Amino acid sequence: AQSVGSVKRGFFYAALSFLVITFFITIIGLIIKVNFPHINPNDAMISGFSSLPSGFLGLGIIAILAATMSTIDTGLIVSALFISRDIISRYKTISEEKLVKLTKQFIFLTWFFATGVAIVTKNLIFVFYNLFSFILILAPAVVCSFFFHLKIRAIQYSLILGMVSGLILALSGNVSSDYVLIPFFISLIVLGITQKLFKE
């Protein structure tokens, strides 16, 4: 981004578009729920699309594949860059050439890990809840950094303990709509406490 202001505007419009998209997705989910009241949530999308006319069914499948591919490649690149540039290069001086090579290696490792999770995990709803839970862990540090000068150690502890709580929740198998916000609140509370405790 060119400036902090452009980042703030980007997050604002992203949040706004997310709310709009979520509204329409919720409407689609409610329509499927009304027409298929006893359906397994993991099969809801398939059943909903199967009831569409043939032309719309083809467009729907193309849209799902396009969105999936776009999300996967973006997630792989961002995850690899987060590890190589934001973590490793922060504590170790690395040349740009080596950084690029390291990022490519982490892209492969992240893809390998994600593929393993996809093969082992059969519950799509469980995966979505876990993904949403881990994304929310970043929210306190990102949003608060626009309004306050956050201490680096406070951000680190917030992310680490938030991720630990998310992993515990995921491994326990209790991730649901009732528990998905727990890592977010842990990350937020830890950020507030450590921001007050640490001097630097």
Side-chain angles (χ1 to χ4, degrees), residues 6-82:
S6 63
V7 174
K8 290 182 179 180
R9 288 193 298 273
F11 270 99
F12 173 77
Y13 290 122
L16 189 63
S17 62
F18 181 79
L19 289 175
V20 173
I21 293 171
T22 302
F23 172 77
F24 285 107
I25 291 176
T26 303
I27 296 298
I28 294 172
L30 290 173
I31 292 172
I32 294 174
K33 180 66 176 177
V34 170
N35 289 280
F36 307 96
H38 303 294
I39 194 171
N40 185 334
N42 292 292
D43 303 325
M45 183 180 293
I46 297 172
S47 299
F49 274 98
S50 63
S51 62
L52 293 174
S54 58
F56 287 102
L57 177 60
L59 290 175
I61 293 173
I62 292 171
I64 291 175
L65 290 175
T68 302
M69 292 170 64
S70 173
T71 304
I72 289 173
D73 60 35
T74 302
L76 287 174
I77 294 172
V78 171
S79 300
L81 281 172
F82 175 71

Coordinates of all heavy atoms in Angstrom, one line a residue, residues 6-82:
S6 N -4.3 4.6 2.9 CA -4.8 3.7 1.8 C -5.1 2.3 2.4 O -6.1 1.6 2.0 CB -3.9 3.6 0.7 OG -2.6 3.0 1.1
V7 N -4.3 1.8 3.4 CA -4.6 0.6 4.0 C -5.9 0.6 4.8 O -6.7 -0.3 4.7 CB -3.4 0.2 5.0 CG1 -3.8 -1.1 5.8 CG2 -2.2 0.0 4.2
K8 N -6.1 1.7 5.5 CA -7.4 1.9 6.2 C -8.6 1.9 5.3 O -9.6 1.2 5.6 CB -7.3 3.2 7.0 CG -6.4 3.2 8.2 CD -6.4 4.5 9.0 CE -5.5 4.5 10.2 NZ -5.5 5.8 10.9
R9 N -8.5 2.6 4.2 CA -9.6 2.6 3.2 C -9.8 1.2 2.7 O -10.9 0.8 2.5 CB -9.3 3.6 2.1 CG -9.4 5.1 2.5 CD -9.4 6.0 1.3 NE -8.1 5.9 0.6 CZ -7.0 6.6 0.8 NH1 -7.0 7.5 1.8 NH2 -5.9 6.5 0.1
G10 N -8.7 0.5 2.4 CA -8.8 -0.8 1.8 C -9.5 -1.8 2.8 O -10.4 -2.5 2.4
F11 N -9.2 -1.7 4.1 CA -9.9 -2.5 5.1 C -11.3 -2.1 5.2 O -12.2 -3.0 5.4 CB -9.2 -2.4 6.4 CG -8.1 -3.4 6.6 CD1 -6.7 -3.1 6.4 CD2 -8.4 -4.7 7.0 CE1 -5.7 -4.0 6.6 CE2 -7.4 -5.7 7.2 CZ -6.1 -5.3 7.0
F12 N -11.6 -0.8 5.1 CA -13.0 -0.4 5.3 C -13.9 -0.9 4.1 O -14.9 -1.5 4.4 CB -13.1 1.2 5.3 CG -14.5 1.7 5.2 CD1 -15.3 1.7 6.4 CD2 -15.0 2.2 4.0 CE1 -16.6 2.2 6.3 CE2 -16.3 2.7 4.0 CZ -17.1 2.7 5.1
Y13 N -13.4 -0.8 2.9 CA -14.2 -1.3 1.7 C -14.2 -2.8 1.7 O -15.2 -3.4 1.3 CB -13.6 -0.7 0.4 CG -13.8 0.8 0.2 CD1 -12.7 1.6 0.1 CD2 -15.1 1.3 0.2 CE1 -12.9 3.0 -0.1 CE2 -15.3 2.6 0.1 CZ -14.2 3.5 -0.1 OH -14.4 4.8 -0.2
A14 N -13.1 -3.5 2.2 CA -13.2 -4.9 2.3 C -14.2 -5.4 3.3 O -14.9 -6.3 3.0 CB -11.8 -5.4 2.6
A15 N -14.3 -4.7 4.4 CA -15.3 -5.1 5.4 C -16.7 -4.8 4.9 O -17.6 -5.6 5.2 CB -15.0 -4.3 6.7
L16 N -16.8 -3.7 4.2 CA -18.2 -3.4 3.7 C -18.6 -4.4 2.6 O -19.7 -4.9 2.7 CB -18.1 -2.0 3.0 CG -19.5 -1.4 2.6 CD1 -20.4 -1.2 3.8 CD2 -19.3 -0.1 1.9
S17 N -17.7 -4.8 1.7 CA -18.0 -5.8 0.7 C -18.3 -7.1 1.3 O -19.1 -7.9 0.9 CB -16.9 -5.9 -0.3 OG -15.7 -6.3 0.3
F18 N -17.5 -7.4 2.4 CA -17.7 -8.7 3.1 C -19.1 -8.8 3.7 O -19.8 -9.8 3.7 CB -16.7 -8.8 4.2 CG -16.8 -10.1 5.0 CD1 -16.3 -11.3 4.5 CD2 -17.4 -10.1 6.3 CE1 -16.3 -12.5 5.2 CE2 -17.5 -11.3 7.0 CZ -16.9 -12.5 6.5
L19 N -19.6 -7.7 4.3 CA -21.0 -7.6 4.9 C -22.0 -7.9 3.8 O -23.0 -8.6 4.0 CB -21.2 -6.3 5.6 CG -20.4 -6.1 6.9 CD1 -20.7 -4.7 7.4 CD2 -20.9 -7.1 7.9
V20 N -21.8 -7.2 2.6 CA -22.8 -7.4 1.5 C -22.8 -8.8 1.0 O -23.9 -9.4 0.8 CB -22.4 -6.4 0.4 CG1 -23.3 -6.7 -0.9 CG2 -22.6 -4.9 0.8
I21 N -21.6 -9.4 0.8 CA -21.5 -10.7 0.3 C -22.1 -11.7 1.3 O -22.8 -12.7 0.9 CB -20.1 -11.1 0.0 CG1 -19.6 -10.3 -1.2 CG2 -19.9 -12.6 -0.3 CD1 -18.1 -10.4 -1.5
T22 N -21.8 -11.5 2.6 CA -22.3 -12.4 3.6 C -23.9 -12.3 3.7 O -24.5 -13.3 3.9 CB -21.8 -11.9 5.0 OG1 -20.3 -12.0 5.0 CG2 -22.3 -12.9 6.1
F23 N -24.4 -11.1 3.4 CA -25.9 -11.0 3.4 C -26.5 -11.9 2.4 O -27.4 -12.7 2.6 CB -26.3 -9.5 3.2 CG -27.7 -9.3 3.0 CD1 -28.6 -9.3 4.0 CD2 -28.2 -9.1 1.7 CE1 -30.0 -9.2 3.8 CE2 -29.6 -9.0 1.5 CZ -30.5 -9.0 2.5
F24 N -25.9 -11.8 1.1 CA -26.5 -12.6 0.0 C -26.2 -14.1 0.3 O -27.1 -15.0 0.0 CB -25.9 -12.2 -1.3 CG -26.4 -10.9 -1.8 CD1 -25.7 -9.7 -1.8 CD2 -27.7 -10.8 -2.3 CE1 -26.2 -8.5 -2.2 CE2 -28.3 -9.6 -2.8 CZ -27.5 -8.5 -2.7
I25 N -25.1 -14.5 0.8 CA -24.8 -15.9 1.1 C -25.8 -16.4 2.2 O -26.3 -17.5 2.1 CB -23.4 -16.1 1.6 CG1 -22.4 -15.8 0.4 CG2 -23.1 -17.5 2.1 CD1 -20.9 -15.9 0.8
T26 N -26.1 -15.6 3.2 CA -27.1 -15.9 4.2 C -28.4 -16.2 3.6 O -29.1 -17.1 4.0 CB -27.1 -14.8 5.3 OG1 -25.8 -14.6 5.8 CG2 -28.1 -15.3 6.4
I27 N -28.9 -15.3 2.7 CA -30.2 -15.5 2.0 C -30.2 -16.8 1.3 O -31.2 -17.6 1.4 CB -30.4 -14.3 1.0 CG1 -30.5 -13.0 1.8 CG2 -31.7 -14.6 0.2 CD1 -31.7 -13.0 2.8
I28 N -29.1 -17.1 0.5 CA -29.0 -18.4 -0.2 C -29.1 -19.6 0.8 O -29.8 -20.6 0.6 CB -27.7 -18.5 -1.0 CG1 -27.7 -17.5 -2.1 CG2 -27.5 -19.9 -1.6 CD1 -26.4 -17.3 -2.9
G29 N -28.4 -19.5 1.9 CA -28.4 -20.5 2.9 C -29.8 -20.7 3.5 O -30.2 -21.9 3.7
L30 N -30.5 -19.6 3.8 CA -31.9 -19.7 4.3 C -32.8 -20.4 3.3 O -33.7 -21.2 3.6 CB -32.4 -18.3 4.7 CG -31.7 -17.7 5.9 CD1 -32.2 -16.3 6.1 CD2 -32.0 -18.5 7.2
I31 N -32.7 -20.1 2.0 CA -33.5 -20.7 0.9 C -33.3 -22.2 0.9 O -34.2 -23.0 0.8 CB -33.2 -20.0 -0.4 CG1 -33.6 -18.6 -0.4 CG2 -33.8 -20.8 -1.6 CD1 -33.2 -17.8 -1.7
I32 N -32.0 -22.6 1.0 CA -31.7 -24.0 1.0 C -32.2 -24.7 2.2 O -32.8 -25.8 2.1 CB -30.1 -24.2 0.9 CG1 -29.6 -23.7 -0.4 CG2 -29.8 -25.7 1.1 CD1 -28.1 -23.7 -0.5
K33 N -32.2 -24.0 3.4 CA -32.7 -24.6 4.6 C -34.2 -24.8 4.5 O -34.7 -25.8 5.0 CB -32.4 -23.6 5.8 CG -32.8 -24.1 7.1 CD -32.1 -25.3 7.6 CE -32.6 -25.7 9.0 NZ -31.9 -27.0 9.4
V34 N -34.9 -23.8 3.9 CA -36.4 -24.0 3.8 C -36.7 -25.1 2.8 O -37.7 -25.9 3.1 CB -37.0 -22.6 3.2 CG1 -38.4 -22.8 2.8 CG2 -36.8 -21.5 4.3
N35 N -36.0 -25.2 1.7 CA -36.3 -26.3 0.7 C -35.8 -27.7 1.1 O -36.3 -28.7 0.7 CB -35.7 -25.9 -0.6 CG -36.5 -24.7 -1.3 OD1 -37.5 -24.9 -1.8 ND2 -35.9 -23.5 -1.1
F36 N -34.7 -27.7 1.9 CA -34.1 -29.0 2.4 C -33.9 -28.9 3.9 O -32.8 -28.8 4.4 CB -32.8 -29.2 1.7 CG -32.9 -29.2 0.2 CD1 -32.5 -28.0 -0.5 CD2 -33.3 -30.3 -0.5 CE1 -32.6 -27.9 -1.9 CE2 -33.3 -30.2 -1.9 CZ -33.0 -29.0 -2.6
P37 N -35.0 -28.9 4.7 CA -34.9 -28.7 6.2 C -34.1 -29.7 6.9 O -33.5 -29.4 8.0 CB -36.4 -28.7 6.6 CG -37.1 -29.5 5.6 CD -36.4 -29.2 4.3
H38 N -34.0 -30.9 6.4 CA -33.3 -32.0 7.2 C -31.9 -32.3 6.6 O -31.4 -33.4 6.8 CB -34.2 -33.2 7.3 CG -35.5 -33.0 7.9 ND1 -35.7 -32.6 9.2 CD2 -36.7 -33.0 7.3 CE1 -36.9 -32.5 9.5 NE2 -37.6 -32.7 8.4
I39 N -31.4 -31.5 5.7 CA -30.2 -31.8 5.0 C -29.0 -31.7 5.9 O -28.9 -30.9 6.8 CB -30.1 -30.9 3.8 CG1 -29.0 -31.4 2.8 CG2 -29.7 -29.4 4.2 CD1 -28.9 -30.6 1.5
N40 N -28.0 -32.5 5.6 CA -26.7 -32.4 6.3 C -26.0 -31.1 5.8 O -25.9 -30.8 4.6 CB -25.8 -33.6 5.9 CG -24.5 -33.6 6.7 OD1 -24.0 -32.6 7.1 ND2 -23.9 -34.8 6.8
P41 N -25.5 -30.2 6.8 CA -24.9 -28.9 6.3 C -23.7 -29.1 5.4 O -23.5 -28.2 4.5 CB -24.4 -28.4 7.7 CG -25.3 -29.0 8.7 CD -25.6 -30.3 8.2
N42 N -23.0 -30.3 5.5 CA -21.9 -30.5 4.5 C -22.4 -30.7 3.1 O -21.6 -30.6 2.2 CB -21.1 -31.7 5.0 CG -20.4 -31.4 6.3 OD1 -19.4 -30.6 6.4 ND2 -20.8 -32.0 7.4
D43 N -23.6 -31.1 2.9 CA -24.2 -31.4 1.6 C -25.1 -30.3 1.1 O -25.7 -30.4 0.0 CB -24.9 -32.7 1.6 CG -24.1 -33.9 2.1 OD1 -22.9 -33.9 1.8 OD2 -24.6 -34.8 2.8
A44 N -25.2 -29.2 1.9 CA -26.2 -28.2 1.5 C -25.9 -27.5 0.2 O -26.8 -27.3 -0.6 CB -26.3 -27.1 2.6
M45 N -24.6 -27.2 0.0 CA -24.2 -26.5 -1.3 C -24.5 -27.4 -2.5 O -25.1 -26.9 -3.5 CB -22.8 -26.1 -1.3 CG -22.3 -25.4 -2.5 SD -20.6 -24.9 -2.4 CE -20.5 -23.8 -1.1
I46 N -24.2 -28.7 -2.4 CA -24.4 -29.6 -3.5 C -25.9 -29.7 -3.8 O -26.3 -29.7 -5.0 CB -23.8 -31.0 -3.2 CG1 -22.3 -30.9 -3.0 CG2 -24.2 -32.0 -4.3 CD1 -21.7 -32.2 -2.5
S47 N -26.7 -29.9 -2.8 CA -28.2 -30.0 -3.0 C -28.8 -28.7 -3.5 O -29.7 -28.8 -4.4 CB -28.8 -30.4 -1.6 OG -28.4 -31.6 -1.2
G48 N -28.3 -27.6 -3.0 CA -28.8 -26.3 -3.5 C -28.5 -26.1 -5.0 O -29.4 -25.7 -5.8
F49 N -27.3 -26.4 -5.4 CA -26.9 -26.3 -6.8 C -27.6 -27.3 -7.7 O -27.9 -27.0 -8.9 CB -25.4 -26.3 -7.0 CG -24.7 -25.0 -6.8 CD1 -24.1 -24.7 -5.5 CD2 -24.7 -24.1 -7.8 CE1 -23.5 -23.5 -5.3 CE2 -24.0 -22.9 -7.6 CZ -23.5 -22.6 -6.4
S50 N -27.8 -28.5 -7.2 CA -28.4 -29.6 -8.0 C -29.9 -29.2 -8.4 O -30.4 -29.8 -9.3 CB -28.4 -30.9 -7.2 OG -29.2 -30.8 -6.0
S51 N -30.5 -28.3 -7.6 CA -31.9 -28.0 -7.9 C -32.0 -26.8 -9.0 O -33.1 -26.4 -9.4 CB -32.6 -27.5 -6.6 OG -32.0 -26.4 -6.1
L52 N -30.8 -26.3 -9.4 CA -30.8 -25.2 -10.4 C -31.0 -25.7 -11.8 O -30.7 -26.9 -12.0 CB -29.5 -24.4 -10.3 CG -29.2 -23.6 -9.0 CD1 -27.8 -23.1 -9.1 CD2 -30.2 -22.5 -8.8
P53 N -31.5 -24.9 -12.7 CA -31.6 -25.3 -14.1 C -30.2 -25.6 -14.6 O -29.2 -25.1 -14.1 CB -32.2 -24.1 -14.8 CG -32.9 -23.3 -13.7 CD -32.1 -23.6 -12.4
S54 N -30.1 -26.4 -15.7 CA -28.8 -26.8 -16.2 C -27.9 -25.7 -16.5 O -26.7 -25.7 -16.2 CB -29.1 -27.7 -17.5 OG -29.8 -26.9 -18.5
G55 N -28.4 -24.6 -17.1 CA -27.5 -23.5 -17.5 C -26.9 -22.8 -16.3 O -25.7 -22.5 -16.2
F56 N -27.8 -22.5 -15.3 CA -27.3 -21.9 -14.0 C -26.4 -22.8 -13.2 O -25.5 -22.4 -12.5 CB -28.5 -21.5 -13.2 CG -29.2 -20.3 -13.7 CD1 -30.4 -20.4 -14.4 CD2 -28.7 -19.0 -13.6 CE1 -31.1 -19.3 -14.9 CE2 -29.4 -17.9 -14.1 CZ -30.6 -18.1 -14.8
L57 N -26.7 -24.2 -13.3 CA -25.9 -25.1 -12.6 C -24.4 -25.1 -13.1 O -23.5 -25.1 -12.4 CB -26.4 -26.5 -12.8 CG -25.7 -27.7 -12.2 CD1 -25.6 -27.5 -10.7 CD2 -26.3 -29.0 -12.5
G58 N -24.3 -25.0 -14.5 CA -22.9 -24.9 -15.0 C -22.2 -23.6 -14.6 O -21.0 -23.6 -14.2
L59 N -22.9 -22.5 -14.6 CA -22.4 -21.2 -14.1 C -22.0 -21.3 -12.7 O -21.0 -20.7 -12.2 CB -23.4 -20.1 -14.4 CG -23.6 -19.7 -15.8 CD1 -24.7 -18.6 -15.9 CD2 -22.3 -19.1 -16.4
G60 N -22.8 -21.9 -11.9 CA -22.6 -22.1 -10.4 C -21.3 -22.9 -10.2 O -20.5 -22.5 -9.3
I61 N -21.1 -24.0 -10.9 CA -19.9 -24.8 -10.7 C -18.7 -24.0 -11.1 O -17.7 -24.1 -10.5 CB -20.1 -26.1 -11.6 CG1 -21.2 -27.0 -11.0 CG2 -18.8 -26.9 -11.6 CD1 -21.5 -28.2 -11.9
I62 N -18.8 -23.3 -12.3 CA -17.6 -22.5 -12.7 C -17.3 -21.4 -11.7 O -16.1 -21.2 -11.4 CB -18.0 -21.8 -14.1 CG1 -18.1 -22.9 -15.2 CG2 -16.9 -20.8 -14.4 CD1 -18.6 -22.3 -16.5
A63 N -18.3 -20.8 -11.1 CA -18.1 -19.8 -10.1 C -17.4 -20.4 -8.8 O -16.5 -19.8 -8.3 CB -19.4 -19.1 -9.7
I64 N -17.9 -21.6 -8.4 CA -17.3 -22.2 -7.2 C -15.8 -22.6 -7.5 O -14.9 -22.3 -6.7 CB -18.1 -23.5 -6.9 CG1 -19.4 -23.1 -6.3 CG2 -17.3 -24.3 -5.8 CD1 -20.3 -24.3 -6.0
L65 N -15.5 -23.1 -8.7 CA -14.2 -23.5 -9.0 C -13.3 -22.3 -9.1 O -12.1 -22.3 -8.6 CB -14.1 -24.3 -10.3 CG -14.7 -25.7 -10.3 CD1 -14.8 -26.3 -11.7 CD2 -13.9 -26.6 -9.4
A66 N -13.8 -21.2 -9.7 CA -13.0 -20.0 -9.8 C -12.7 -19.4 -8.5 O -11.5 -19.0 -8.2 CB -13.7 -19.0 -10.7
A67 N -13.7 -19.3 -7.6 CA -13.5 -18.7 -6.3 C -12.6 -19.6 -5.5 O -11.7 -19.1 -4.7 CB -14.9 -18.6 -5.6
T68 N -12.7 -20.9 -5.6 CA -11.8 -21.8 -4.8 C -10.4 -21.7 -5.3 O -9.5 -21.6 -4.4 CB -12.3 -23.3 -5.0 OG1 -13.6 -23.4 -4.6 CG2 -11.4 -24.2 -4.2
M69 N -10.1 -21.7 -6.6 CA -8.8 -21.6 -7.1 C -8.1 -20.2 -6.7 O -7.0 -20.1 -6.3 CB -8.7 -21.7 -8.6 CG -9.1 -23.1 -9.1 SD -9.4 -23.3 -10.8 CE -7.7 -22.8 -11.4
S70 N -8.9 -19.2 -6.8 CA -8.4 -17.8 -6.4 C -8.1 -17.8 -4.9 O -7.0 -17.2 -4.6 CB -9.5 -16.8 -6.8 OG -9.1 -15.5 -6.3
T71 N -8.9 -18.3 -4.1 CA -8.7 -18.3 -2.7 C -7.5 -19.1 -2.3 O -6.7 -18.7 -1.4 CB -10.0 -18.9 -1.9 OG1 -11.1 -18.1 -2.3 CG2 -9.8 -18.8 -0.4
I72 N -7.3 -20.3 -2.9 CA -6.2 -21.2 -2.6 C -4.9 -20.5 -3.0 O -4.0 -20.5 -2.1 CB -6.4 -22.5 -3.4 CG1 -7.5 -23.4 -2.8 CG2 -5.1 -23.3 -3.3 CD1 -7.8 -24.6 -3.5
D73 N -4.8 -20.0 -4.2 CA -3.4 -19.5 -4.6 C -3.1 -18.2 -3.7 O -2.0 -18.0 -3.4 CB -3.3 -19.2 -6.1 CG -4.4 -18.2 -6.6 OD1 -4.7 -17.3 -5.9 OD2 -4.8 -18.4 -7.7
T74 N -4.1 -17.4 -3.4 CA -3.9 -16.2 -2.6 C -3.5 -16.6 -1.2 O -2.5 -16.1 -0.6 CB -5.2 -15.3 -2.5 OG1 -5.5 -14.9 -3.9 CG2 -4.9 -14.1 -1.7
G75 N -4.2 -17.6 -0.6 CA -3.9 -18.1 0.7 C -2.5 -18.7 0.8 O -1.7 -18.4 1.8
L76 N -2.1 -19.4 -0.2 CA -0.7 -20.0 -0.2 C 0.4 -18.9 -0.3 O 1.3 -19.0 0.5 CB -0.6 -20.9 -1.4 CG -1.3 -22.3 -1.4 CD1 -1.2 -23.0 -2.7 CD2 -0.8 -23.1 -0.2
I77 N 0.2 -18.0 -1.2 CA 1.2 -16.9 -1.3 C 1.3 -16.0 0.0 O 2.4 -15.8 0.5 CB 0.9 -16.0 -2.5 CG1 1.1 -16.8 -3.8 CG2 1.8 -14.8 -2.6 CD1 0.6 -16.1 -5.1
V78 N 0.1 -15.6 0.5 CA 0.1 -14.8 1.7 C 0.7 -15.5 2.9 O 1.4 -15.0 3.7 CB -1.3 -14.3 2.0 CG1 -1.4 -13.6 3.3 CG2 -1.8 -13.4 0.9
S79 N 0.3 -16.8 3.0 CA 0.8 -17.6 4.2 C 2.3 -17.8 4.1 O 3.0 -17.6 5.1 CB 0.1 -19.0 4.2 OG -1.2 -18.9 4.3
A80 N 2.8 -18.1 2.9 CA 4.3 -18.2 2.7 C 5.0 -16.9 3.0 O 6.1 -16.9 3.6 CB 4.6 -18.8 1.3
L81 N 4.5 -15.8 2.5 CA 5.1 -14.5 2.7 C 5.1 -14.1 4.2 O 6.0 -13.5 4.7 CB 4.4 -13.4 1.9 CG 4.7 -13.4 0.4 CD1 3.8 -12.4 -0.3 CD2 6.2 -13.0 0.2
F82 N 4.0 -14.5 4.8 CA 3.9 -14.2 6.3 C 5.0 -14.9 7.0 O 5.7 -14.3 7.9 CB 2.6 -14.6 6.8 CG 2.4 -14.5 8.3 CD1 2.3 -13.2 8.9 CD2 2.4 -15.6 9.1 CE1 2.2 -13.1 10.2 CE2 2.2 -15.5 10.5 CZ 2.1 -14.2 11.0

